[in-house]
Amino acid sequence: MNNQEFYHEPVLKKEIISLLVTDKKGIYLDCTLGGGGHFRAVAECLEPGATMIGIDRDSDAIQWNLRNPLQTSSRVIIEQSPFSEFDKVLERHAISAVDGMLLDLGVSSWQIDNKDRGFSFMGDGELDMRMNRNSGISAAEFIASSSEAELCTILDRYGEVQNAKRMARTIKQCSHPIVTTFDLRNCLIKEYGPNLKYKVLAKVFQAIRIAVNDELGELQRFLEKSVSFLKPSGRIAVMAYHSLEDRIVKEFFRAGELGCICPPSQPVCTCKKVASLKRVTRKSLQADDAEIARNPRSRSVRVRVAEKLSNRNRYI
Ligand SMILES: C[S@@+](CC[C@H](N)C(=O)[O-])C[C@H]1O[C@@H](n2cnc3c(N)ncnc32)[C@H](O)[C@@H]1O
């Protein structure tokens, strides 16, 4: 990464701080450091003795934040890691539980606008799309190694692309090799015509990005571990930008609120399920018109926050 600014306008910054920070001397984990907007905002409101941890799977984000250190009296830890493995980072620093965890999902504006990263059809670059370029296969390799049926499933499930079958066939049977973002874009324009909507292209790129980075698997694995690493009354805040992610979070938080799930006809509980979470936001929080006008990326955000029940408040 050269020395250019890693820019990203953090979404709902004030709201996130007030929902996430419950103890100003506590330990907070930003799992999606990016340009460090939320990270810095949370750190700024903490008091001496607090700890702020930032992780990201993208080495560019890590390098940028290390080169632009926080002016704070808190202890700061910044490490490259996928958030599904946040527990290993905590373990390395002998931290058993935190007061708050933040996930601001997806990619940063910087990643999208940097054409060398291959996330966008607006600029020509290698069709890479990996958040961590040292792990897994690029989007071009993913397309080359997937069957038409596999690609169809991805486009349908992750992009909700209409007639995914035709789209997958077009991509797999393209007359030129698909190596760059414009190769993919031009292949689709050739089939669908020059009026192919940006919205459709965006869905295709999104679907492939989600698959290449296993984004939904990452989220699911993170959530499954998260509660065990929260202190009682600690909070998890998740900012999702599409319905597939938001649904996973919503269902996880809802299930966490449930105690016994045995059928009502059963006199004695055998499931032994105990409620572990309480939703802080019953409905998802969204950006208002002023924020959307200022930061269009906030248009699709859905924020959900849950709190870990203290043992005293757990119920079956
Ligand atoms: C929307 S940006 C976060 C922006 C940040 N909140 C800010 O204010 O600058 C999302 C970031 O999360 C990272 N990311 C996405 N999925 C990840 C994962 N599974 N593990 C770690 N980092 C991830 C991306 O690389 C990107 O830098």
Side-chain angles (χ1 to χ4, degrees), residues 22 115 122 126 200 219 224 258 269 276 283 286 316:
T22 51
K115 59 183 170 52
M122 298 298 283
E126 262 183 51
V200 177
L219 177 58
E224 276 155 21
L258 291 178
C269 168
S276 56
K283 283 179 75 178
Q286 298 179 31
I316 56 170

Side-chain angles (χ1 to χ4, degrees), residues 257-295:
E257 272 191 342
L258 291 178
C260 170
I261 49 169
C262 294
S265 56
Q266 194 173 301
V268 179
C269 168
T270 50
C271 75
K272 307 283 183 228
K273 186 174 177 328
V274 176
S276 56
L277 289 174
K278 168 179 97 180
R279 280 174 289 175
V280 176
T281 47
R282 301 301 294 181
K283 283 179 75 178
S284 64
L285 176 72
Q286 298 179 31
D288 62 17
D289 292 345
E291 170 136 16
I292 294 170
R294 209 175 48 246
N295 184 4

Side-chain angles (χ1 to χ4, degrees), residues 114-225:
N114 188 332
K115 59 183 170 52
D116 297 338
R117 303 299 303 267
F119 285 110
S120 165
F121 54 87
M122 298 298 283
D124 197 13
E126 262 183 51
L127 188 62
D128 191 321
M129 293 202 196
R130 283 171 300 171
M131 295 183 200
N132 177 354
R133 280 173 291 180
N134 292 318
S135 166
I137 58 169
S138 71
E141 289 164 330
F142 174 79
I143 289 173
S145 61
S146 303
S147 68
E148 198 174 301
E150 284 162 346
L151 198 54
C152 173
T153 306
I154 296 296
L155 295 172
D156 180 44
R157 198 173 290 165
Y158 298 161
E160 289 160 351
V161 171
Q162 272 181 14
N163 202 346
K165 217 169 164 178
R166 177 177 166 203
M167 189 73 82
R169 192 181 329 118
T170 303
I171 295 172
K172 283 306 287 183
Q173 294 180 6
C174 183
S175 56
H176 56 260
I178 297 182
V179 180
T180 68
T181 51
F182 276 12
D183 288 339
L184 178 56
R185 183 173 109 158
N186 293 339
C187 161
L188 296 173
I189 287 176
K190 208 163 142 195
E191 169 76 8
Y192 293 90
N195 293 331
L196 177 65
K197 292 203 171 87
Y198 276 6
K199 213 168 138 185
V200 177
L201 280 169
K203 284 180 172 189
V204 172
F205 273 66
Q206 171 188 288
I208 296 172
R209 190 200 83 206
I210 291 175
V212 164
N213 293 288
D214 184 22
E215 292 182 31
L216 303 184
E218 272 286 310
L219 177 58
Q220 195 70 53
R221 289 191 292 278
F222 164 84
L223 288 171
E224 276 155 21
K225 287 181 188 175

Side-chain angles (χ1 to χ4, degrees), residues 6-11 13 30-40 55-62 65 79-85 102-109 111 117 119 130-132 213-215 217-219 221-222 239 241 245 297:
F6 193 114
Y7 60 89
H8 179 90
E9 176 68 28
V11 172
K13 193 162 72 175
D30 182 345
C31 293
T32 49
L33 182 61
H38 288 111
F39 182 77
R40 282 155 206 270
I55 61 174
D56 201 293
R57 72 203 300 198
D58 188 333
S59 60
D60 284 353
I62 298 299
N65 282 282
E79 279 194 19
Q80 185 177 8
S81 168
F83 54 61
S84 62
E85 294 180 13
L102 171 64
L103 262 79
D104 180 15
L105 296 169
V107 278
S108 63
S109 306
Q111 286 167 316
R117 303 299 303 267
F119 285 110
R130 283 171 300 171
M131 295 183 200
N132 177 354
N213 293 288
D214 184 22
E215 292 182 31
E218 272 286 310
L219 177 58
R221 289 191 292 278
F222 164 84
M239 310 173 71
Y241 295 85
E245 291 169 341
R297 197 187 129 72

Side-chain angles (χ1 to χ4, degrees), residues 42 46 96 121 133 202 207 257 310:
V42 172
L46 299 180
S96 56
F121 54 87
R133 280 173 291 180
E257 272 191 342
S310 55

